Amino acid sequence: MANDHRFEALFEHSSEGLLVCAADGTVLSCNAVASALFGVDKATLVGAAVTGILQQEAGQGPFMLCNGSALAKQDQAPPRPVALRITLLRTAGGPQAIVHLRDPAERAQTQERLAHLANFDSLTGLPNRALFRDRLSQSMARAQRSGLPMALMFLDLDRFKLVNDSLGHEVGDQLLLHVTKVLTQCLRSVDTLLRPVEEPYTLSRLGGDEFTVICEAIGSVEDAAHVAQRMLDALTAPFIAGEEEIVISASIGISMYPDDKVDLDGLIRHTDMAMYRSKSLGRGTYSFFSDDLNAAATARMSLETSLRRAIERQEFVLHFQPKADLRCGKVMGVEALVRWQRPGQGLVSPDRFIGVLEDTGMILPVGAWVIRAACEQLAAWDRMGLPPVRMAVNLSARQFRHMYLASLVEDTLRENTIDPQRLEIELTESLLMEDNEANRAMLENFRRMGVRLAIDDFGTGHSSLSYIKRFNIDTLKIDRSFVQSLPDNEEDVAIASAVIALGRSMKMCVVAEGVETSAQARALRNLGCDQIQGYLLSRPMPGAEFAGWITGYMRARAKDRVGFRAAKPSPTTWFTQLEQVA
Ligand code: C2E
Ligand code: MG
Ligand code: MG
C-alpha cells in the first residue's frame, strides 16, 4: 500500500510525461505533464487508445508518436508529435507499458546544444578545432574545383601568457572575447564585393590564444596580405580591462592553397611554420609560408604604403598627350595621363601603380583628383586663349561602383564652366562587358550630362556591340598593339581596317593609339581612321608645356601650308610629311 502511494506520487510529479498503457494500447492512467503535452485533459486521455506501442520493443531508442485523432479536438492545432521511450512491466493482469513522453522541441534543443558544444568554442562561440578542420577540408575542395585560391591564416596573440599569468584568467578570457569581436568586425568589413562565395571568411579558435581564418576565393597573394594587415591594424587599439590598459599585437602565418600543394595537415603545418616565422621576425607581423610569396607581398606592401603617402603629399601630376585629325593635322584634343612623382625615383608610369590603386580603393581619391585637375587645366588653357581642345580622362571600372562619381564630374564641369561635350571619358572594354546595374546607371548619367564616352584599348577585350550602340559611344580607340606593326603585318591591317569600318558604320570617331611613324599614320589614313595619338605627334607633356607646344605646332603648320603652296616644302610637322609622300 505504501508502495502504491509512493509510486503514485512519483508518477504524478515526474517532470516527464508518463502514461501507463494496457497491451492493446489503451491508456490506463496518465500524469499532468502527459495531458499537457497532448493538450487534452486527463479524463479524455484515459481510455483513449495509443495503438502500436507494445509491438515496439522496449528500450529501442526514442521514436515518434502522434496523438491520434481520437485525442484531437476539432478546433485544435494539428496533433503534435511526441518523443517517447517505453518500459515494459509484467503485472498479474498481463503486460503493461510505462510510456515516457517528451516534448520534441525540447529534445531538438538539447541535441542542438550538444552539437554546438561539439563544434563551437564555449568561451567565444567561434568554431572549434573540429569544425575548423571540417570547414577547411570543404574550402580546400572548393578551391580545387573552382580554381579560386584560398588562404589559410593562423593568428597567435603575442605574449598572451604574460597577460594571463599576471592579470589572471578572467582578464585573459575578456581579452580573448575582445579579440574575437575585433577580428569578426574586421573580417566583415573587408571588401567582399568581388567574392563569389557567401561567407568568404571562417574565423575559428583552436584553443588558447590561437585563432585561424579561412579566406575563400581570395584574389591574390596581395589580397591575403591585405586581410592579414587589416587584422593586425585592428588589434592595435588598446584593450581596457578594469584599471589596466592592455596593448596587444599578434603574429600571423599565411599559406595559399592550391599554390602550396599539400593535404589538409600539410597546409596546417605550413601555416603554423609561417606563424612562427612571424614570431621570430619580431611579432606584430604576418608571413607567408613560401619565400617567393613573402618577397612579393613585402614589395607590394611597401608600394602601397608609399602610395598612401603620395596621396597625402600630393605627389601625382598629370601629363597631356595631344590627338590630331588625320585629314587636316589639326589638334582636336588631349588625353590626361597620371604620373607619380616618387621622391628619389623620378616619374613613375601609371602601369606600375594604377593596379594597386584599384585593388586598394585608393583609385577613388586619386581618380577624383585626376578629374578635377584635368578640368582645371582645361579652364586655365581657355583663359590663356589657346584653341579649345577636348580633354580625355581615363576612368577605372572600380570608380563606376561609386555613385558620387557622376555628381563629381557634373560639379567639376560646372565649377570650371566647361561644356560637357569637351570632356571625354575613356572606359575599358571590360567595363562594358560587365552588364550590371551600377555600370548602366553610371553610363546613363554621363549620357544625360552630355559628356562624351570613348572605349580605350579597343580590340584587347570583348566589347558588346549592343552596349556600344545602346550607350551611344562616341569614340573607339584602337589599341597600340594593333598599330605597332602597320602597315606590313597583314593581320594587323585587317584588324585595324575592321575596327575603323565598325566605328564609321556606327558613326563613331576612330582614334589610333601609339602611332610612332609616318608609315603607320599613312596606312591608318588610307583605311579611313579619323585621328591619331602617339609619339609621332608628341609625347605626353606637363600642362605648363602644352601652351608652348600647341602654339609652335600651329605656327609650323601654317608655315608648311605656305611652303606647300609655293612648292618649296620644308616640312616641319608630321602632317606635311604625310602630304608630301601622298
Ligand atoms: P592608355 O589610356 O591606353 O594611354 C595610352 C598610353 O600609351 C600612355 O601610357 C601613353 O604614354 C602611351 N603612348 C602614347 N603614345 C605612344 C607611342 O607612340 N608609343 C608608345 N609605345 N606608347 C605611347 P601611360 O601614360 O604610361 O599610361 C598607361 C595606362 O595607364 C593608360 O593607358 C591608362 O590605361 C592608364 N592611366 C593613365 N592615367 C590614368 C588615370 O588617370 N586613371 C586611370 N584609371 N588610368 C590611367
Ligand atoms: Mg586612355
Ligand atoms: Mg589606350
Side-chain angles (χ1 to χ4, degrees), residues 335-337 393-394 426 456-457 477 513 533:
E335 176 176 5
L337 295 158
V393 171
N394 295 282
E426 294 196 5
D456 207 352
D457 308 337
K477 299 189 77 179
E513 296 184 299
Q533 177 180 350

Side-chain angles (χ1 to χ4, degrees), residues 136-250:
L136 180 59
S137 83
Q138 287 172 18
S139 299
M140 287 171 79
R142 271 196 292 271
Q144 277 282 3
R145 261 200 315 275
S146 67
L148 297 170
M150 56 149 287
L152 175 62
M153 305 188 190
F154 276 18
L155 183 150
D156 193 283
L157 297 182
D158 298 330
R159 302 184 191 85
F160 177 70
K161 200 174 165 325
L162 196 72
V163 173
N164 229 6
D165 292 350
S166 58
L167 300 174
H169 289 260
E170 199 130 303
V171 176
D173 282 358
Q174 278 178 38
L175 180 60
L176 291 172
L177 284 171
H178 164 77
V179 167
T180 303
K181 198 169 116 206
V182 169
L183 293 180
T184 308
Q185 275 170 359
C186 173
L187 291 172
R188 207 172 282 150
S189 71
V190 176
D191 185 359
T192 54
L193 264 178
L194 290 174
R195 308 289 199 81
V197 266
E198 240 170 64
E199 237 185 293
Y201 301 102
T202 304
L203 175 67
S204 315
R205 178 177 173 229
L206 299 196
D209 58 341
E210 262 191 323
F211 294 83
T212 64
V213 183
I214 302 170
C215 306
E216 275 197 62
I218 197 105
S220 60
V221 173
E222 287 82 16
D223 285 352
H226 224 87
V227 174
Q229 187 60 51
R230 296 216 16 189
M231 291 198 286
L232 293 176
D233 291 346
L235 286 174
T236 54
F239 167 64
I240 317 282
E243 306 272 277
E244 300 285 339
E245 186 182 288
I246 305 171
V247 178
I248 44 172
S249 68

